Amino acid sequence: MGPLVLFTLRKVLQVTASAPRPSAQTNDITHLYKHPRGTEEEHTAIETAIRHGSKRCTYPLPCAEDVTVKVSMHGEGPCVGKDAVLSIILQNKCNSPRTITLYSQEAATYYTGVHNALVRKRSQVNIELKASEVQTLPWTLRYDEYKNHLVDQAALMLHLFGQVAQTKQILATQFHFRTAHSRSSYISCM
């Protein structure tokens, strides 16, 4: 048996390494999985995980949560062969205006929820909300963009994430939706 190597928890969390077989040499690949320590990106990723992860924190976070984001679907939802049309609803619950930077990403997922493919990644959108304003943003995913990613029992997932400039509040949500099809044809809805 080889020598016993002990790592502290702190060391394990700092470096992710890869070792090509059969060599004992390792390559540091931490930059592929994490933002650099001390950066604004790292801070945002940690705060997002604390606010929206499966084990949410039990202590209050430093910024207010005065902006909400929700997604709604029009009617019964999209049909195969047609564009998917949703609405992104932003609400400012504060008496001051807010500026939001919002990002979206669309992915195809298997019925288990595992990602199949990235459908589209958008650039950022900047939104100005007046005091106590509710703003609805139309969102469309064209059929041509998602048709090559459809597999049996697949769903589409919209990821929204962003930040409120004034308070540094993190916004994050996911919305799953399936495309419907008729029994006689997988190509179009009637």
Side-chain angles (χ1 to χ4, degrees):
M1 184 178 271
L4 180 62
V5 180
L6 298 175
F7 289 97
T8 65
L9 180 60
R10 182 167 174 77
K11 184 66 176 174
V12 171
L13 295 176
Q14 285 182 353
V15 176
T16 304
S18 170
R21 297 201 179 228
S23 169
Q25 180 184 5
T26 62
N27 297 321
D28 183 359
I29 58 171
T30 308
H31 67 282
L32 299 174
Y33 298 93
K34 294 173 64 177
H35 295 288
R37 280 200 170 296
T39 63
E40 184 65 31
E41 291 87 359
E42 180 199 36
H43 175 75
T44 301
I46 290 170
E47 188 173 328
T48 302
I50 291 170
R51 284 184 187 275
H52 303 285
S54 60
K55 294 183 179 179
R56 295 184 181 178
C57 68
T58 57
Y59 57 90
L61 287 163
C63 70
E65 293 189 18
D66 52 11
V67 176
T68 61
V69 62
K70 293 180 183 176
V71 180
S72 69
M73 187 167 18
H74 297 278
E76 296 294 315
C79 293
V80 174
K82 298 185 180 179
D83 296 346
V85 180
L86 305 174
S87 292
I88 300 168
I89 303 159
L90 293 163
Q91 180 179 8
N92 181 3
K93 297 179 179 180
C94 179
N95 292 330
S96 301
R98 296 290 184 241
T99 304
I100 297 117
T101 302
L102 194 64
Y103 302 89
S104 68
Q105 175 177 302
E106 297 82 21
T109 62
Y110 294 108
Y111 71 95
T112 58
V114 175
H115 283 258
N116 171 16
L118 183 64
V119 175
R120 178 176 68 178
K121 188 171 185 176
R122 283 189 177 169
S123 59
Q124 71 183 37
V125 176
N126 293 316
I127 299 116
E128 299 286 335
L129 285 178
K130 297 176 185 166
S132 303
E133 180 182 15
V134 176
Q135 197 173 115
T136 301
L137 307 172
W139 178 91
T140 302
L141 180 62
R142 292 189 340 264
Y143 175 67
D144 289 342
E145 293 176 295
Y146 74 83
K147 70 180 177 183
N148 295 330
H149 303 288
L150 292 178
V151 294
D152 192 29
Q153 305 229 0
L156 296 169
M157 185 185 327
L158 169 64
H159 296 273
L160 290 174
F161 44 97
Q163 189 171 33
V164 179
Q166 291 82 357
T167 62
K168 303 296 182 203
Q169 176 190 347
I170 302 297
L171 301 171
T173 191
Q174 296 178 3
F175 188 79
H176 297 262
F177 57 100
R178 294 188 183 277
T179 54
H181 53 57
S182 67
R183 292 181 184 263
S184 60
S185 172
Y186 191 73
I187 303 301
S188 65
C189 286
M190 299 298 166

Short mmCIF file of all heavy atoms in Angstrom, two decimals, residues 55-95:
data_model
loop_
_atom_site.label_atom_id
_atom_site.label_comp_id
_atom_site.label_asym_id
_atom_site.label_seq_id
_atom_site.Cartn_x
_atom_site.Cartn_y
_atom_site.Cartn_z
N LYS A 55 -29.37 23.89 0.31
CA LYS A 55 -29.23 24.11 1.76
C LYS A 55 -29.03 25.60 1.97
O LYS A 55 -27.91 26.08 2.08
CB LYS A 55 -28.05 23.31 2.30
CG LYS A 55 -28.26 21.83 2.21
CD LYS A 55 -27.10 21.09 2.83
CE LYS A 55 -27.34 19.59 2.74
NZ LYS A 55 -26.24 18.84 3.32
N ARG A 56 -30.13 26.30 2.03
CA ARG A 56 -30.04 27.76 2.19
C ARG A 56 -29.52 28.13 3.56
O ARG A 56 -29.69 27.39 4.53
CB ARG A 56 -31.41 28.38 1.96
CG ARG A 56 -31.85 28.17 0.54
CD ARG A 56 -33.13 28.83 0.24
NE ARG A 56 -33.48 28.55 -1.15
CZ ARG A 56 -34.56 28.95 -1.72
NH1 ARG A 56 -35.44 29.66 -1.06
NH2 ARG A 56 -34.79 28.65 -2.97
N CYS A 57 -28.91 29.30 3.62
CA CYS A 57 -28.30 29.74 4.88
C CYS A 57 -29.36 30.05 5.93
O CYS A 57 -30.51 30.35 5.61
CB CYS A 57 -27.42 30.94 4.64
SG CYS A 57 -28.31 32.43 4.20
N THR A 58 -28.93 30.01 7.17
CA THR A 58 -29.85 30.28 8.27
C THR A 58 -29.60 31.65 8.89
O THR A 58 -30.25 32.01 9.85
CB THR A 58 -29.71 29.21 9.37
OG1 THR A 58 -28.35 29.19 9.80
CG2 THR A 58 -30.12 27.85 8.85
N TYR A 59 -28.67 32.40 8.33
CA TYR A 59 -28.40 33.74 8.84
C TYR A 59 -28.73 34.76 7.75
O TYR A 59 -28.71 34.43 6.57
CB TYR A 59 -26.93 33.87 9.27
CG TYR A 59 -25.95 33.55 8.18
CD1 TYR A 59 -25.48 34.53 7.32
CD2 TYR A 59 -25.48 32.25 8.00
CE1 TYR A 59 -24.60 34.24 6.32
CE2 TYR A 59 -24.58 31.95 6.99
CZ TYR A 59 -24.14 32.95 6.16
OH TYR A 59 -23.26 32.66 5.17
N PRO A 60 -29.07 35.98 8.14
CA PRO A 60 -29.44 36.98 7.14
C PRO A 60 -28.25 37.39 6.29
O PRO A 60 -27.13 37.49 6.77
CB PRO A 60 -29.95 38.15 7.98
CG PRO A 60 -29.37 37.95 9.33
CD PRO A 60 -29.14 36.47 9.50
N LEU A 61 -28.50 37.63 5.02
CA LEU A 61 -27.46 38.10 4.11
C LEU A 61 -27.41 39.63 4.14
O LEU A 61 -28.37 40.28 4.51
CB LEU A 61 -27.74 37.58 2.71
CG LEU A 61 -27.46 36.08 2.58
CD1 LEU A 61 -28.11 35.53 1.34
CD2 LEU A 61 -25.99 35.80 2.58
N PRO A 62 -26.28 40.21 3.73
CA PRO A 62 -26.07 41.64 3.92
C PRO A 62 -26.93 42.57 3.08
O PRO A 62 -27.01 43.74 3.39
CB PRO A 62 -24.60 41.82 3.54
CG PRO A 62 -24.27 40.67 2.66
CD PRO A 62 -25.14 39.55 3.13
N CYS A 63 -27.58 42.09 2.04
CA CYS A 63 -28.33 43.03 1.21
C CYS A 63 -29.83 42.73 1.23
O CYS A 63 -30.26 41.64 1.55
CB CYS A 63 -27.81 43.03 -0.22
SG CYS A 63 -28.17 41.55 -1.12
N ALA A 64 -30.58 43.75 0.87
CA ALA A 64 -32.04 43.64 0.84
C ALA A 64 -32.49 42.77 -0.32
O ALA A 64 -31.79 42.62 -1.31
CB ALA A 64 -32.64 45.03 0.70
N GLU A 65 -33.66 42.18 -0.16
CA GLU A 65 -34.26 41.40 -1.23
C GLU A 65 -35.54 42.11 -1.68
O GLU A 65 -36.64 41.66 -1.40
CB GLU A 65 -34.55 39.98 -0.76
CG GLU A 65 -33.29 39.19 -0.48
CD GLU A 65 -33.57 37.72 -0.22
OE1 GLU A 65 -34.65 37.23 -0.58
OE2 GLU A 65 -32.69 37.07 0.33
N ASP A 66 -35.37 43.22 -2.37
CA ASP A 66 -36.52 44.04 -2.74
C ASP A 66 -36.93 43.91 -4.20
O ASP A 66 -37.87 44.54 -4.64
CB ASP A 66 -36.29 45.50 -2.37
CG ASP A 66 -34.99 46.06 -2.90
OD1 ASP A 66 -34.35 45.38 -3.73
OD2 ASP A 66 -34.62 47.17 -2.51
N VAL A 67 -36.24 43.07 -4.97
CA VAL A 67 -36.61 42.81 -6.36
C VAL A 67 -36.86 41.31 -6.51
O VAL A 67 -36.09 40.50 -6.01
CB VAL A 67 -35.50 43.27 -7.33
CG1 VAL A 67 -35.85 42.91 -8.77
CG2 VAL A 67 -35.26 44.77 -7.21
N THR A 68 -37.96 40.96 -7.19
CA THR A 68 -38.26 39.55 -7.44
C THR A 68 -38.33 39.30 -8.94
O THR A 68 -38.62 40.21 -9.72
CB THR A 68 -39.60 39.11 -6.80
OG1 THR A 68 -40.66 39.89 -7.38
CG2 THR A 68 -39.58 39.30 -5.29
N VAL A 69 -38.07 38.06 -9.32
CA VAL A 69 -38.16 37.65 -10.71
C VAL A 69 -38.96 36.36 -10.78
O VAL A 69 -38.76 35.45 -9.97
CB VAL A 69 -36.77 37.49 -11.37
CG1 VAL A 69 -35.94 36.42 -10.69
CG2 VAL A 69 -36.90 37.20 -12.85
N LYS A 70 -39.94 36.31 -11.69
CA LYS A 70 -40.76 35.13 -11.91
C LYS A 70 -40.89 34.92 -13.42
O LYS A 70 -40.75 35.86 -14.20
CB LYS A 70 -42.15 35.29 -11.30
CG LYS A 70 -42.15 35.35 -9.80
CD LYS A 70 -43.55 35.50 -9.26
CE LYS A 70 -43.50 35.64 -7.75
NZ LYS A 70 -44.81 35.89 -7.17
N VAL A 71 -41.20 33.68 -13.80
CA VAL A 71 -41.41 33.35 -15.20
C VAL A 71 -42.80 32.76 -15.35
O VAL A 71 -43.22 31.95 -14.52
CB VAL A 71 -40.36 32.35 -15.70
CG1 VAL A 71 -40.58 32.00 -17.17
CG2 VAL A 71 -38.94 32.91 -15.51
N SER A 72 -43.53 33.17 -16.39
CA SER A 72 -44.84 32.58 -16.64
C SER A 72 -44.92 32.15 -18.11
O SER A 72 -44.25 32.71 -18.97
CB SER A 72 -45.96 33.55 -16.31
OG SER A 72 -45.98 34.62 -17.21
N MET A 73 -45.76 31.14 -18.33
CA MET A 73 -45.92 30.59 -19.67
C MET A 73 -47.27 31.02 -20.23
O MET A 73 -48.26 31.08 -19.51
CB MET A 73 -45.84 29.07 -19.62
CG MET A 73 -45.84 28.42 -20.96
SD MET A 73 -45.37 26.67 -21.00
CE MET A 73 -45.54 26.09 -19.36
N HIS A 74 -47.30 31.30 -21.50
CA HIS A 74 -48.54 31.70 -22.18
C HIS A 74 -49.33 30.45 -22.55
O HIS A 74 -48.83 29.55 -23.20
CB HIS A 74 -48.23 32.51 -23.44
CG HIS A 74 -47.52 33.79 -23.15
ND1 HIS A 74 -48.19 34.92 -22.75
CD2 HIS A 74 -46.21 34.10 -23.17
CE1 HIS A 74 -47.31 35.88 -22.56
NE2 HIS A 74 -46.11 35.42 -22.80
N GLY A 75 -50.58 30.39 -22.12
CA GLY A 75 -51.47 29.29 -22.49
C GLY A 75 -50.96 27.93 -22.03
O GLY A 75 -50.44 27.78 -20.94
N GLU A 76 -51.11 26.94 -22.90
CA GLU A 76 -50.70 25.57 -22.60
C GLU A 76 -49.21 25.36 -22.81
O GLU A 76 -48.70 24.27 -22.58
CB GLU A 76 -51.49 24.59 -23.48
CG GLU A 76 -52.97 24.59 -23.21
CD GLU A 76 -53.29 24.07 -21.82
OE1 GLU A 76 -52.71 23.04 -21.40
OE2 GLU A 76 -54.09 24.71 -21.13
N GLY A 77 -48.52 26.36 -23.29
CA GLY A 77 -47.09 26.21 -23.54
C GLY A 77 -46.79 26.00 -25.01
O GLY A 77 -47.69 25.92 -25.84
N PRO A 78 -45.52 25.88 -25.34
CA PRO A 78 -45.12 25.78 -26.75
C PRO A 78 -45.44 24.42 -27.35
O PRO A 78 -45.50 23.41 -26.66
CB PRO A 78 -43.60 26.00 -26.68
CG PRO A 78 -43.22 25.57 -25.31
CD PRO A 78 -44.39 25.89 -24.43
N CYS A 79 -45.66 24.42 -28.63
CA CYS A 79 -45.87 23.20 -29.41
C CYS A 79 -44.65 22.97 -30.28
O CYS A 79 -44.03 23.92 -30.75
CB CYS A 79 -47.09 23.33 -30.30
SG CYS A 79 -48.63 23.45 -29.41
N VAL A 80 -44.31 21.71 -30.51
CA VAL A 80 -43.21 21.39 -31.40
C VAL A 80 -43.50 22.00 -32.76
O VAL A 80 -44.61 21.90 -33.27
CB VAL A 80 -43.01 19.86 -31.51
CG1 VAL A 80 -41.96 19.52 -32.55
CG2 VAL A 80 -42.61 19.28 -30.16
N GLY A 81 -42.53 22.66 -33.32
CA GLY A 81 -42.71 23.32 -34.60
C GLY A 81 -43.03 24.80 -34.46
O GLY A 81 -43.08 25.51 -35.46
N LYS A 82 -43.26 25.26 -33.24
CA LYS A 82 -43.58 26.66 -33.00
C LYS A 82 -42.62 27.26 -31.97
O LYS A 82 -42.00 26.55 -31.19
CB LYS A 82 -45.02 26.80 -32.52
CG LYS A 82 -46.01 26.31 -33.56
CD LYS A 82 -47.43 26.55 -33.15
CE LYS A 82 -48.34 26.02 -34.25
NZ LYS A 82 -49.72 26.17 -33.94
N ASP A 83 -42.56 28.57 -31.96
CA ASP A 83 -41.70 29.26 -31.00
C ASP A 83 -42.24 29.11 -29.58
O ASP A 83 -43.45 29.04 -29.37
CB ASP A 83 -41.62 30.76 -31.34
CG ASP A 83 -40.97 31.01 -32.69
OD1 ASP A 83 -40.36 30.10 -33.24
OD2 ASP A 83 -41.09 32.15 -33.18
N ALA A 84 -41.34 29.06 -28.60
CA ALA A 84 -41.72 29.06 -27.19
C ALA A 84 -41.78 30.51 -26.73
O ALA A 84 -40.83 31.26 -26.90
CB ALA A 84 -40.68 28.30 -26.37
N VAL A 85 -42.93 30.91 -26.18
CA VAL A 85 -43.12 32.30 -25.73
C VAL A 85 -43.44 32.29 -24.24
O VAL A 85 -44.41 31.69 -23.80
CB VAL A 85 -44.26 32.98 -26.52
CG1 VAL A 85 -44.45 34.41 -26.05
CG2 VAL A 85 -43.98 32.95 -28.01
N LEU A 86 -42.59 32.96 -23.47
CA LEU A 86 -42.76 33.08 -22.02
C LEU A 86 -42.71 34.55 -21.65
O LEU A 86 -42.40 35.41 -22.48
CB LEU A 86 -41.64 32.33 -21.28
CG LEU A 86 -41.43 30.86 -21.61
CD1 LEU A 86 -40.19 30.34 -20.91
CD2 LEU A 86 -42.63 30.04 -21.22
N SER A 87 -42.98 34.85 -20.38
CA SER A 87 -42.86 36.21 -19.86
C SER A 87 -41.97 36.17 -18.62
O SER A 87 -42.12 35.29 -17.77
CB SER A 87 -44.22 36.77 -19.47
OG SER A 87 -45.00 36.98 -20.61
N ILE A 88 -41.08 37.14 -18.53
CA ILE A 88 -40.24 37.32 -17.34
C ILE A 88 -40.82 38.51 -16.60
O ILE A 88 -40.92 39.61 -17.15
CB ILE A 88 -38.78 37.56 -17.73
CG1 ILE A 88 -38.23 36.38 -18.52
CG2 ILE A 88 -37.94 37.85 -16.49
CD1 ILE A 88 -36.91 36.64 -19.19
N ILE A 89 -41.23 38.29 -15.35
CA ILE A 89 -41.89 39.34 -14.56
C ILE A 89 -40.94 39.80 -13.46
O ILE A 89 -40.57 39.02 -12.59
CB ILE A 89 -43.21 38.82 -13.96
CG1 ILE A 89 -44.11 38.30 -15.09
CG2 ILE A 89 -43.89 39.90 -13.14
CD1 ILE A 89 -45.16 37.34 -14.64
N LEU A 90 -40.56 41.06 -13.53
CA LEU A 90 -39.69 41.68 -12.53
C LEU A 90 -40.52 42.63 -11.68
O LEU A 90 -41.28 43.43 -12.23
CB LEU A 90 -38.55 42.44 -13.19
CG LEU A 90 -37.53 41.58 -13.93
CD1 LEU A 90 -36.72 42.42 -14.88
CD2 LEU A 90 -36.63 40.88 -12.92
N GLN A 91 -40.37 42.54 -10.37
CA GLN A 91 -41.11 43.43 -9.47
C GLN A 91 -40.15 44.11 -8.51
O GLN A 91 -39.36 43.45 -7.84
CB GLN A 91 -42.16 42.64 -8.69
CG GLN A 91 -42.96 43.53 -7.74
CD GLN A 91 -44.02 42.76 -6.97
OE1 GLN A 91 -44.09 41.54 -7.01
NE2 GLN A 91 -44.85 43.49 -6.27
N ASN A 92 -40.25 45.43 -8.45
CA ASN A 92 -39.49 46.22 -7.50
C ASN A 92 -40.40 46.51 -6.30
O ASN A 92 -41.38 47.24 -6.44
CB ASN A 92 -39.01 47.52 -8.15
CG ASN A 92 -38.18 48.37 -7.21
OD1 ASN A 92 -37.90 47.99 -6.09
ND2 ASN A 92 -37.79 49.54 -7.69
N LYS A 93 -40.08 45.96 -5.14
CA LYS A 93 -40.91 46.15 -3.95
C LYS A 93 -40.43 47.33 -3.11
O LYS A 93 -40.93 47.55 -2.01
CB LYS A 93 -40.87 44.89 -3.09
CG LYS A 93 -41.46 43.68 -3.78
CD LYS A 93 -41.36 42.47 -2.87
CE LYS A 93 -41.96 41.24 -3.51
NZ LYS A 93 -41.86 40.07 -2.65
N CYS A 94 -39.50 48.09 -3.64
CA CYS A 94 -38.87 49.18 -2.91
C CYS A 94 -39.41 50.53 -3.39
O CYS A 94 -39.96 50.65 -4.47
CB CYS A 94 -37.36 49.10 -3.14
SG CYS A 94 -36.42 50.39 -2.34
N ASN A 95 -39.22 51.55 -2.59
CA ASN A 95 -39.64 52.91 -2.94
C ASN A 95 -38.56 53.68 -3.68
O ASN A 95 -38.68 54.89 -3.86
CB ASN A 95 -40.05 53.68 -1.68
CG ASN A 95 -41.32 53.11 -1.08
OD1 ASN A 95 -42.17 52.58 -1.78
ND2 ASN A 95 -41.44 53.22 0.23
#
